[in-house]
Amino acid sequence: MVEMLALEGRWNSRAADKAGRLASIAFARNGKILDAGHIVEVLERLIRPGDRVCVEGDNQKQADFLSRSLAAVDPERVHDVHLVLSVLGRPEHIDLFERGIARKVDFSFSGPQSLRLAQLVEDGRVEIGAIHTYLELFGRYFVDLTPNVALVAADSADAAGNLYTGANTEETPTVVEATAFRNGIVIAQVNEITGVLPRVDIPGSWVDAVVVADRPYAIEPLFTRDPAEIDDVAILMAMLAIRGVYEPHRVRRLNHGIGFDTAAIELILPTFGESLGLRGEICTHWALNPHPTLIPAIESGWVESIHCFGGELGMERYIAARSDVFFTGPDGSLRSNRALAQTAGLYATDLFIGSTLQLDRDANSSTATRGRIAGFGGAPNMGSDPHGRRHASAAWLALARGEDGIARGRKIVVQLVETFRASGVPTFVERLDAADMVGKAGFAIAPVMIYGDDVTHVVTEEGVAYLYRAANVDDRRAALAAIAGVTPVGMERRQERTTALRAAGVVAFPEDLGVRRGDARRSLLAATSMADLVRWSDGLYDPPARFRSW
Amino acid sequence: MTPTALRRSYVESTPRERIAALADPGSFREILDPFARCSSPYLAEQGVVAQRDDGVVVGRALLGGRDVAAVAVDGRFLGGSIGEIGGAKIARVLERARDGAFLLLDTGGIRLQEANLGLLAIAEICDAIVALRERAPVVAVVAGRVGCYGGMSVAAALCSQIIMSPVGRFGLNGPEVVEQEAGIEELDARDRPAIWQATGGVRRVEQGHADVLVEDDLDELARALRDAFRASPNRERLSLERLRNRFAQEAPR
Amino acid sequence: MQRIVVERSGGVPVTKRAHVGAVASGNLEVLCEPPAEARATIVVSTSVDGFEPVWRATLERFLERYPIAAAIEINDFGATPAMVSLRLEQALELAR
């Protein structure tokens, strides 16, 4: 049937093309199973110069067998590839450009490769289409960036090509859906092929071939923060965030960035939060990766639900045993989905809180600093106000604006930063490094992570700036200066102005919020070590080796 | 369930808090506190900022009514390393101890910046321990983040008893040194489970290299410390005879 | 290594000695004592050079917020201004 249609010509050329490509790899294919020994040859035959190729690089799992194999193809045969992927995080992703296999990239995040990527740009060896938010990139997969070939990763497959992606489903459904339903080719690397899968995450009819990788797909415990490394300053900032933002706005639905300061918030909910009587009043529903530091709050009855972007190594047994809280399959394991969790984070949460590397006087925020092109991951979607939102909640309405009966609420977007980073570099700067990147490296616009007009609150060790309450730009800048410490921005603060802003509730210092700086001590943490987290979990949490001190 | 509310962590406490919590309440009298400003004269010229107590807290305290010397090494300052001043503080307080001593060791051993002076200081400490243990208990506690390595592991081995927690590590060479000298095939210094399996508190007590294992809990440690003082003060350890016996038992025939 | 001294006359003297912190990475040791005369003197030794303006601004703001008379010594191992302010406040709480 499909072949018949293909012969009809101009309206079915994609299907015909797909059939031709698949025929070219028949030598290595036995049913849906590909011979791993021929993988490089297979990729050379499948991928045409100029193709859009997605090599699944998620925030967590990596299709690294396939990306390593792709980096080994002959650049004479495969070149000018347009790479589309969430996370350009593997060394071999960069090798693709250095070897002339790939030419252009559209992506969201490049964390570990940010330096090498900046070098490629400098050398003119890569063309960056755009650095997207996750949802923006996923959206474009279904509009003008649909992959011709998708190389994805799964835990296991059966002979029919059904895939089990377990806790780290992440991007796979989105990438496969876009590719498979536009006559692209989907190849999945799997850790093993088994008779019966724990559950089917991707139907076999969407998958053209599976190949057993030389080793399990690469994944790092990115969301594990050792409580031993949380310092008193982070605890002070956590107390300010709870008293200054969560409590007054009754924030129940939220997302936390990764960082020791947000981990500190999670760890003082059962102590400080409990003493304020806030259990059940705040932090009940989360769009969040399975942060081990949230275990004490979960065990203390704070948390009703958590939907995850991806999994976290070591949390598998704990999650399986807490299916009331997490989204799990009938097999007990976590089901994650970045597109849906990002949608939840954008539309269904009332608050995003996270850190950044630089903030300017207008609270524009960026992690792009000189010599690094890192991208932003999940922050720009969750750290933005979805103007189309309709449903109301107490927290959203707390920031309502508008008049004549047509008021609407607002997402609470908090930047939680120490005034200076550990290296002595100021967080508050007169001008973002990102602003100097316009026009260079193919950036049509400055790589800003969160736009200042979306930022409603900034919390530092000095206090809280309620930017959304500022009457005008001048007040906004003065409020930010009031909590920016001795950074260049903070040195502009003036005593009388600050006093007036405190009186107007645009700025709050710790004493205004009933927070005693002296109380900011590690003894407030519900867990002070990884061993404590294991104890809280009743032994169900199994931290990766590098985090163990026993 | 609130696991941490139930206990006071030794790891989380400062050296002074540790001594205060383990000794009889209110009995600790520090000698040469930070305000005495007995810090290392050698660090500044090497571009290193000195800590005013040289990373060592010493004094007299009561332990179950006994008048003992109390020592705590501050693992936060230069890895709890022993230099001339800190080493002399320990040696002198041990030499003057009446009814025994307890040493809270969180130390990587000799301070590299002071080289031979640290080595000499540790020799004096060992000497003082051997002299004191003949007439009273000398008990070492190894339960901090740094562990007890290098020259100070020899000092610990000379004590009447060693109390450890699972967090504590105890060995002659630290993992980084082993990796550097013997190669990464012998030990990968980042392989934390391997390190604790070889030198951690649980293992050391199993092997008999340490005597008592307690959790990271000041109250439990305080009890273990008092029990150790009630045990025989002249328990033999690290003697040549004992090593010969062990060798005879364990060597393959 | 750098030494920085900040002084300010007047102020309410602290009554007790206080010692907090440690010379550990990202941390600092603070010694706070009743002063010999009615002034605040803060003497800093820091392992990191080149941050004198940041130190001065941080310490001057501390003395603005808490007009005390005290002899304060800081031994620093690369602490951030936030950590410096917090340790000073912890010391002051014990010394007043």
Side-chain angles (χ1 to χ4, degrees):
Chain A
M1 180 75 173
V2 167
E3 284 86 50
M4 295 262 305
L5 288 171
L7 293 175
E8 285 175 24
R10 64 181 276 223
W11 296 108
N12 302 93
S13 61
R14 297 182 72 92
D17 176 69
K18 175 171 181 171
R21 293 197 199 203
L22 284 179
S24 78
I25 62 163
F27 78 100
R29 205 156 71 120
N30 181 8
K32 289 268 168 115
I33 314 295
L34 264 183
D35 177 359
H38 291 300
I39 189 65
V40 174
E41 173 71 19
V42 163
L43 294 176
E44 285 173 343
R45 289 178 185 224
L46 270 184
I47 300 172
R48 310 263 161 82
D51 269 0
R52 274 190 300 274
V53 176
C54 175
V55 190
E56 186 170 19
D58 299 348
N59 201 13
Q60 281 107 313
K61 79 171 169 187
Q62 306 292 326
D64 64 308
F65 171 64
L66 291 172
S67 57
R68 280 182 279 120
S69 302
L70 184 58
V73 301
D74 180 357
E76 294 283 317
R77 295 177 69 180
V78 181
H79 50 84
D80 292 309
V81 161
H82 179 179
L83 211 57
V84 291
L85 77 178
S86 299
V87 179
L88 189 79
R90 299 280 310 170
E92 61 268 16
H93 292 159
I94 303 295
D95 297 345
L96 291 174
F97 295 94
E98 287 181 352
R99 294 200 61 223
I101 296 164
R103 173 72 212 159
K104 185 175 180 184
V105 64
D106 277 279
F107 70 109
S108 290
F109 183 62
S110 73
Q113 302 303 327
S114 58
L115 288 172
R116 278 182 77 196
L117 179 60
Q119 188 60 48
L120 280 182
V121 167
E122 185 85 24
D123 299 345
R125 305 197 67 140
V126 63
E127 183 189 335
I128 294 178
I131 305 180
H132 304 71
T133 76
Y134 282 131
L135 284 177
E136 188 179 16
L137 182 68
F138 300 160
R140 291 191 69 192
Y141 282 170
F142 294 91
V143 179
D144 61 341
L145 288 182
T146 310
N148 299 95
V149 177
L151 307 173
V152 301
D155 290 40
S156 53
D158 63 16
N162 293 304
L163 302 182
Y164 169 66
T165 47
N168 287 92
T169 301
E170 301 188 70
E171 267 87 328
T172 315
T174 309
V175 170
V176 173
E177 174 135 5
T179 310
F181 291 93
R182 191 120 168 84
N183 281 310
I185 291 167
V186 176
I187 310 280
Q189 72 166 66
V190 295
N191 301 342
E192 56 175 349
I193 291 176
T194 59
V196 181
L197 297 176
R199 68 173 192 242
V200 174
D201 287 298
I202 307 288
S205 61
W206 303 6
V207 177
D208 297 299
V210 295
V211 55
V212 178
D214 53 357
R215 51 177 189 252
Y217 61 70
I219 186 160
E220 295 288 328
L222 297 176
F223 297 90
T224 301
R225 293 288 173 271
D226 185 343
E229 291 179 46
I230 294 173
D231 65 21
D232 293 349
V233 173
I235 293 163
L236 173 63
M237 286 164 52
M239 294 164 79
L240 293 174
I242 290 175
R243 288 239 69 176
V245 184
Y246 293 27
E247 182 183 356
H249 300 321
R250 288 292 184 253
V251 174
R252 295 184 56 137
R253 305 180 289 175
L254 70 164
N255 168 261
H256 272 184
I258 41 169
F260 288 103
D261 28 27
T262 39
I265 296 176
E266 291 155 20
L267 287 170
I268 68 172
L269 289 176
T271 55
F272 184 66
E274 191 72 39
S275 72
L276 297 169
L278 293 173
R279 179 155 44 92
E281 301 292 320
I282 62 169
C283 301
T284 52
H285 296 78
W286 300 72
L288 191 78
N289 280 303
H291 290 186
T293 41
L294 199 58
I295 292 172
I298 296 171
E299 295 301 307
S300 308
W302 278 71
V303 177
E304 285 180 37
S305 74
I306 303 171
H307 185 250
C308 300
F309 308 86
E312 184 66 2
L313 293 172
M315 287 289 280
E316 298 83 1
R317 282 197 307 137
Y318 178 73
I319 288 168
R322 299 288 180 273
S323 60
D324 281 354
V325 172
F326 293 94
F327 287 72
T328 54
D331 61 312
S333 73
L334 183 77
R335 162 80 178 195
S336 62
N337 186 316
R338 191 168 322 279
L340 298 180
Q342 284 287 330
T343 305
L346 173 62
Y347 266 103
T349 65
D350 294 323
L351 171 141
F352 164 79
I353 186 166
S355 194
T356 186
L357 293 182
Q358 289 189 332
L359 274 174
D360 70 13
R361 64 185 66 227
D362 292 316
N364 291 301
S365 155
S366 186
T367 53
T369 54
R370 242 170 282 282
R372 283 178 187 271
I373 302 175
F376 309 120
N381 281 135
M382 289 178 291
S384 67
D385 183 31
H387 294 190
R389 174 170 164 175
R390 294 295 187 277
H391 74 285
S393 66
W396 186 72
L397 284 175
L399 278 68
R401 57 191 162 175
E403 44 199 32
D404 288 342
I406 311 292
R408 69 168 195 231
R410 190 171 175 182
K411 161 89 69 70
I412 301 171
V413 176
V414 188
Q415 292 281 272
L416 178 67
V417 292
E418 228 186 286
T419 54
F420 283 80
R421 306 208 307 271
S423 42
V425 181
T427 307
F428 292 89
V429 295
E430 314 235 327
R431 184 179 162 85
L432 297 180
D433 286 358
D436 296 328
M437 294 180 188
V438 185
K440 292 178 206 160
F443 285 108
I445 55 167
V448 169
M449 179 169 74
I450 297 179
Y451 291 106
D453 55 5
D454 271 329
V455 176
T456 58
H457 301 67
V458 178
V459 179
T460 72
E461 76 276 9
E462 301 267 312
V464 182
Y466 297 85
L467 299 182
Y468 76 97
R469 286 184 186 150
N472 51 49
V473 173
D474 269 4
D475 274 1
R476 224 170 171 271
R477 290 182 172 178
L480 204 56
I483 57 148
V486 298
T487 62
V489 170
M491 291 309 283
E492 287 168 26
R493 92 175 184 197
R494 296 290 167 263
Q495 191 64 52
E496 295 133 52
R497 193 76 186 273
T498 302
T499 307
L501 289 169
R502 280 173 77 184
V506 184
V507 169
F509 288 165
E511 50 270 36
D512 304 329
L513 299 169
V515 171
R516 287 183 58 241
R517 292 178 174 86
D519 290 345
R521 288 183 185 271
R522 285 179 48 80
S523 51
L524 266 189
L525 299 174
T528 55
S529 65
M530 297 302 287
D532 279 352
L533 293 175
V534 174
R535 273 192 286 276
W536 269 106
S537 77
D538 267 340
L540 292 166
Y541 172 47
D542 181 26
R546 79 175 78 156
F547 290 103
R548 279 186 231 159
S549 303
W550 61 85
Chain B
M1 189 188 64
T2 54
T4 50
L6 299 175
R7 68 187 178 85
R8 292 187 301 151
S9 164
Y10 175 91
V11 168
E12 285 294 309
S13 310
T14 66
R16 287 181 185 82
E17 288 168 348
R18 289 171 182 176
I19 293 178
L22 297 181
D24 295 352
S27 71
F28 178 53
R29 296 288 172 272
E30 184 169 355
I31 300 166
L32 295 178
D33 71 11
F35 294 95
R37 294 185 161 80
C38 265
S39 47
S40 165
Y42 310 105
L43 295 176
E45 64 198 39
Q46 298 176 65
V48 178
V49 173
Q51 185 167 299
R52 278 308 194 179
D53 58 12
D54 203 34
V56 171
V57 180
V58 299
R60 283 172 71 175
L62 297 178
L63 195 80
R66 287 171 187 254
D67 179 357
V68 300
V71 172
V73 181
D74 189 344
R76 298 171 299 177
F77 177 57
L78 297 178
S81 59
I82 304 297
E84 184 185 31
I85 303 285
K89 282 167 79 172
I90 299 173
R92 296 296 93 77
V93 80
L94 290 173
E95 285 162 7
R96 285 161 177 71
R98 290 194 181 177
D99 305 334
F102 66 90
L103 298 89
L104 312 181
L105 301 177
D106 202 19
T107 167
I110 292 159
R111 183 176 297 160
L112 296 178
Q113 290 88 344
E114 302 185 26
N116 292 350
L117 297 172
L119 195 60
L120 285 171
I122 288 177
E124 287 185 351
I125 292 169
C126 290
D127 220 23
I129 291 172
V130 171
L132 179 57
R133 74 172 191 193
E134 292 304 314
R135 53 186 179 81
V138 184
V139 180
V141 174
V142 180
R145 281 212 181 95
V146 178
C148 180
Y149 284 110
M152 288 305 283
S153 71
V154 176
L158 290 169
C159 291
S160 324
Q161 284 210 42
I162 301 174
I163 300 170
M164 291 188 75
S165 79
V167 178
R169 292 171 295 170
F170 175 37
L172 191 56
N173 290 316
E176 286 79 13
V177 177
V178 174
E179 181 187 306
Q180 190 184 321
E181 297 301 321
I184 197 156
E185 305 79 24
E186 178 69 21
L187 179 69
D188 179 348
R190 289 164 310 172
D191 185 350
R192 297 169 68 92
I195 291 162
W196 263 271
Q197 232 151 52
T199 66
V202 173
R203 181 79 184 123
R204 285 310 192 200
V205 172
E206 254 170 36
Q207 291 169 319
H209 294 159
D211 305 285
V212 182
L213 183 73
V214 295
E215 284 305 308
D216 174 34
D217 181 308
L218 284 167
D219 297 328
E220 262 193 59
L221 269 167
R223 274 193 296 279
L225 197 54
R226 278 162 185 73
D227 289 347
F229 268 77
R230 277 194 287 272
S232 159
N234 289 320
R235 191 178 154 198
E236 189 188 23
R237 65 165 38 253
L238 205 76
S239 69
L240 204 53
E241 193 183 356
R242 188 174 165 206
L243 284 175
R244 276 202 196 101
N245 288 341
R246 261 190 92 118
F247 185 76
Q249 280 165 17
E250 293 178 14
R253 306 232 159 113
Chain C
M1 231 179 98
Q2 198 171 2
R3 196 179 139 88
I4 298 157
V5 181
V6 170
E7 288 189 285
R8 176 184 277 229
S9 54
V12 183
V14 300
T15 57
K16 285 175 283 184
R17 281 176 164 182
H19 176 253
V20 298
V23 184
S25 183
N27 206 340
L28 67 155
E29 171 183 49
V30 177
L31 291 85
C32 179
E33 294 174 90
E37 46 192 312
R39 61 167 55 234
T41 311
I42 306 180
V43 180
V44 180
S45 300
T46 172
S47 59
V48 193
D49 294 353
F51 289 94
E52 184 163 349
V54 174
W55 274 105
R56 288 196 177 281
T58 303
L59 300 176
E60 276 159 16
R61 281 196 174 181
F62 172 75
L63 292 176
E64 250 170 61
R65 187 184 289 162
Y66 305 102
I68 52 162
I72 295 175
E73 176 181 330
I74 290 176
N75 298 307
D76 166 70
F77 196 162
T80 60
M83 183 59 85
V84 172
S85 304
L86 195 58
R87 290 274 178 265
L88 282 169
E89 280 162 11
Q90 288 168 347
L92 186 55
E93 204 160 283
L94 296 171
R96 276 207 283 217

